[in-house]
Amino acid sequence: MLKSGLITPYRGVRYHLKEYSTRAPENAQEIFNHRHASLCNVIERAFGVLKKRFPIIASGTEAHYSVDTTTKIVLACGILHNYLMGVDPDERLIAEVDRELMNNEICTEEEYRMNNNSDDSRQGAIIRDAIAARMWADYASNRP
Protein backbone atom coordinates (compact mmCIF):
# COMPACT_ATOMS: atom_id res chain seq x y z
CA MET A 1 0.00 0.00 0.00
CA LEU A 2 1.30 3.45 -0.92
CA LYS A 3 1.86 5.69 2.09
CA SER A 4 0.06 9.01 2.05
CA GLY A 5 2.16 12.03 1.13
CA LEU A 6 4.44 10.20 -1.30
CA ILE A 7 2.84 11.63 -4.41
CA THR A 8 4.96 14.75 -4.30
CA PRO A 9 5.11 17.71 -6.66
CA TYR A 10 7.75 17.84 -9.37
CA ARG A 11 11.01 19.45 -8.23
CA GLY A 12 12.60 22.12 -10.40
CA VAL A 13 9.22 23.03 -11.91
CA ARG A 14 7.12 26.06 -10.98
CA TYR A 15 5.07 25.23 -7.90
CA HIS A 16 3.73 28.19 -5.92
CA LEU A 17 0.41 29.65 -7.05
CA LYS A 18 1.81 33.16 -7.52
CA GLU A 19 4.24 31.76 -10.12
CA TYR A 20 1.23 30.93 -12.31
CA SER A 21 -0.43 34.35 -12.05
CA THR A 22 1.34 35.72 -15.13
CA ARG A 23 1.91 32.57 -17.18
CA ALA A 24 -0.33 29.52 -17.50
CA PRO A 25 1.01 25.96 -17.10
CA GLU A 26 3.01 24.88 -20.14
CA ASN A 27 3.33 21.11 -19.67
CA ALA A 28 2.10 18.12 -17.67
CA GLN A 29 4.50 18.71 -14.78
CA GLU A 30 3.42 22.33 -14.41
CA ILE A 31 -0.30 21.57 -14.52
CA PHE A 32 0.21 18.88 -11.87
CA ASN A 33 2.23 21.23 -9.64
CA HIS A 34 -0.30 24.04 -10.07
CA ARG A 35 -3.20 21.81 -9.08
CA HIS A 36 -1.20 20.20 -6.26
CA ALA A 37 -0.36 23.66 -4.89
CA SER A 38 -4.01 24.75 -5.19
CA LEU A 39 -5.22 21.66 -3.33
CA CYS A 40 -2.58 21.98 -0.61
CA ASN A 41 -3.49 25.64 -0.18
CA VAL A 42 -7.18 24.83 0.32
CA ILE A 43 -6.44 22.05 2.82
CA GLU A 44 -3.86 24.07 4.77
CA ARG A 45 -6.18 27.08 4.87
CA ALA A 46 -9.12 25.00 6.13
CA PHE A 47 -7.10 23.34 8.89
CA GLY A 48 -5.34 26.61 9.71
CA VAL A 49 -8.67 28.33 10.32
CA LEU A 50 -9.98 25.38 12.36
CA LYS A 51 -6.82 25.32 14.50
CA LYS A 52 -7.10 29.06 15.19
CA ARG A 53 -10.78 28.88 16.00
CA PHE A 54 -10.68 25.61 18.01
CA PRO A 55 -7.43 25.20 20.00
CA ILE A 56 -8.28 21.58 20.84
CA ILE A 57 -7.25 20.71 17.27
CA ALA A 58 -3.91 22.54 17.56
CA SER A 59 -2.88 20.94 20.84
CA GLY A 60 0.42 19.57 19.48
CA THR A 61 1.62 16.44 17.75
CA GLU A 62 1.14 14.05 20.67
CA ALA A 63 -2.15 12.17 20.44
CA HIS A 64 -4.43 12.90 23.39
CA TYR A 65 -7.42 11.03 22.02
CA SER A 66 -8.09 7.91 20.01
CA VAL A 67 -8.25 8.19 16.23
CA ASP A 68 -12.03 7.76 16.37
CA THR A 69 -12.43 10.55 18.95
CA THR A 70 -10.03 12.83 17.08
CA THR A 71 -12.02 12.29 13.88
CA LYS A 72 -15.23 13.22 15.68
CA ILE A 73 -13.61 16.35 17.17
CA VAL A 74 -12.37 17.55 13.77
CA LEU A 75 -15.77 16.88 12.14
CA ALA A 76 -17.61 18.68 14.96
CA CYS A 77 -15.25 21.66 14.70
CA GLY A 78 -15.76 21.78 10.94
CA ILE A 79 -19.54 21.76 11.35
CA LEU A 80 -19.40 24.49 14.01
CA HIS A 81 -17.05 26.57 11.87
CA ASN A 82 -19.37 26.33 8.85
CA TYR A 83 -22.31 27.38 11.01
CA LEU A 84 -20.37 30.31 12.49
CA MET A 85 -19.25 31.45 9.03
CA GLY A 86 -22.93 31.61 8.07
CA VAL A 87 -24.03 33.71 11.05
CA ASP A 88 -20.90 35.69 11.96
CA PRO A 89 -17.93 35.29 9.58
CA ASP A 90 -14.58 36.19 11.12
CA GLU A 91 -12.69 37.62 8.14
CA ARG A 92 -9.81 38.66 10.45
CA LEU A 93 -9.18 35.01 11.34
CA ILE A 94 -9.14 33.96 7.69
CA ALA A 95 -6.81 36.85 6.75
CA GLU A 96 -4.43 35.84 9.57
CA VAL A 97 -4.27 32.25 8.32
CA ASP A 98 -3.74 33.47 4.73
CA ARG A 99 -0.77 35.61 5.86
CA GLU A 100 0.77 32.64 7.67
CA LEU A 101 0.36 30.41 4.63
CA MET A 102 2.07 32.97 2.41
CA ASN A 103 5.18 32.65 4.61
CA ASN A 104 5.31 28.85 4.82
CA GLU A 105 7.19 26.52 2.49
CA ILE A 106 5.31 23.36 1.53
CA CYS A 107 8.23 20.92 1.86
CA THR A 108 11.87 21.48 2.79
CA GLU A 109 14.70 19.96 0.75
CA GLU A 110 15.54 17.61 3.64
CA GLU A 111 11.95 16.33 3.86
CA TYR A 112 11.93 15.84 0.09
CA ARG A 113 15.17 13.79 0.15
CA MET A 114 13.93 11.67 3.08
CA ASN A 115 10.67 10.88 1.26
CA ASN A 116 12.24 10.28 -2.13
CA ASN A 117 14.46 7.27 -1.42
CA SER A 118 12.04 4.40 -1.09
CA ASP A 119 10.00 1.99 -3.16
CA ASP A 120 6.89 3.92 -2.08
CA SER A 121 8.29 7.17 -3.46
CA ARG A 122 9.11 5.49 -6.78
CA GLN A 123 5.60 4.05 -6.95
CA GLY A 124 4.25 7.49 -6.04
CA ALA A 125 6.24 9.03 -8.91
CA ILE A 126 4.73 6.54 -11.37
CA ILE A 127 1.22 7.37 -10.15
CA ARG A 128 2.00 11.11 -10.21
CA ASP A 129 3.25 10.88 -13.82
CA ALA A 130 0.06 9.10 -14.91
CA ILE A 131 -2.12 11.68 -13.13
CA ALA A 132 -0.10 14.55 -14.65
CA ALA A 133 -0.45 13.09 -18.16
CA ARG A 134 -4.24 12.81 -17.78
CA MET A 135 -4.47 16.34 -16.34
CA TRP A 136 -2.43 17.75 -19.21
CA ALA A 137 -4.48 15.93 -21.86
CA ASP A 138 -7.70 17.30 -20.31
CA TYR A 139 -6.23 20.81 -19.92
CA ALA A 140 -4.83 20.90 -23.46
CA SER A 141 -8.08 19.67 -25.03
CA ASN A 142 -10.14 22.34 -23.21
CA ARG A 143 -7.92 25.37 -23.90
CA PRO A 144 -9.21 28.01 -26.31
Side-chain angles (χ1 to χ4, degrees):
M1 174 181 232
L2 183 67
K3 293 178 191 167
S4 121
L6 290 179
I7 298 180
T8 59
Y10 290 95
R11 302 304 277 183
V13 177
R14 291 186 295 160
Y15 182 78
H16 295 93
L17 294 178
K18 60 186 168 192
E19 296 176 276
Y20 291 96
S21 63
T22 58
R23 196 176 86 218
E26 297 176 351
N27 56 48
Q29 292 81 19
E30 286 190 355
I31 194 73
F32 181 88
N33 277 11
H34 179 258
R35 291 180 179 172
H36 188 278
S38 295
L39 180 61
C40 285
N41 186 275
V42 168
I43 292 168
E44 289 177 7
R45 186 174 192 236
F47 276 96
V49 169
L50 287 177
K51 285 178 176 183
K52 293 267 184 210
R53 182 164 271 179
F54 304 104
I56 192 169
I57 294 176
S59 61
T61 56
E62 186 177 320
H64 298 290
Y65 306 101
S66 70
V67 171
D68 186 50
T69 300
T70 301
T71 301
K72 289 175 183 174
I73 290 170
V74 171
L75 288 173
C77 290
I79 291 166
L80 287 171
H81 167 75
N82 288 342
Y83 172 76
L84 292 172
M85 288 301 290
V87 296
D88 186 22
D90 188 349
E91 296 298 328
R92 180 189 48 79
L93 180 70
I94 293 168
E96 184 179 334
V97 170
D98 285 344
R99 278 191 305 277
E100 289 174 6
L101 288 176
M102 292 294 283
N103 296 323
N104 288 341
E105 188 176 328
I106 222 61
C107 180
T108 66
E109 276 304 314
E110 183 178 330
E111 290 170 328
Y112 178 75
R113 277 194 299 279
M114 285 174 34
N115 286 337
N116 236 13
N117 293 322
S118 70
D119 288 338
D120 279 342
S121 68
R122 286 183 280 284
Q123 184 181 1
I126 292 167
I127 294 168
R128 178 197 60 201
D129 292 345
I131 292 169
R134 284 189 304 240
M135 285 180 175
W136 180 251
D138 182 58
Y139 178 78
S141 69
N142 290 311
R143 279 198 297 187

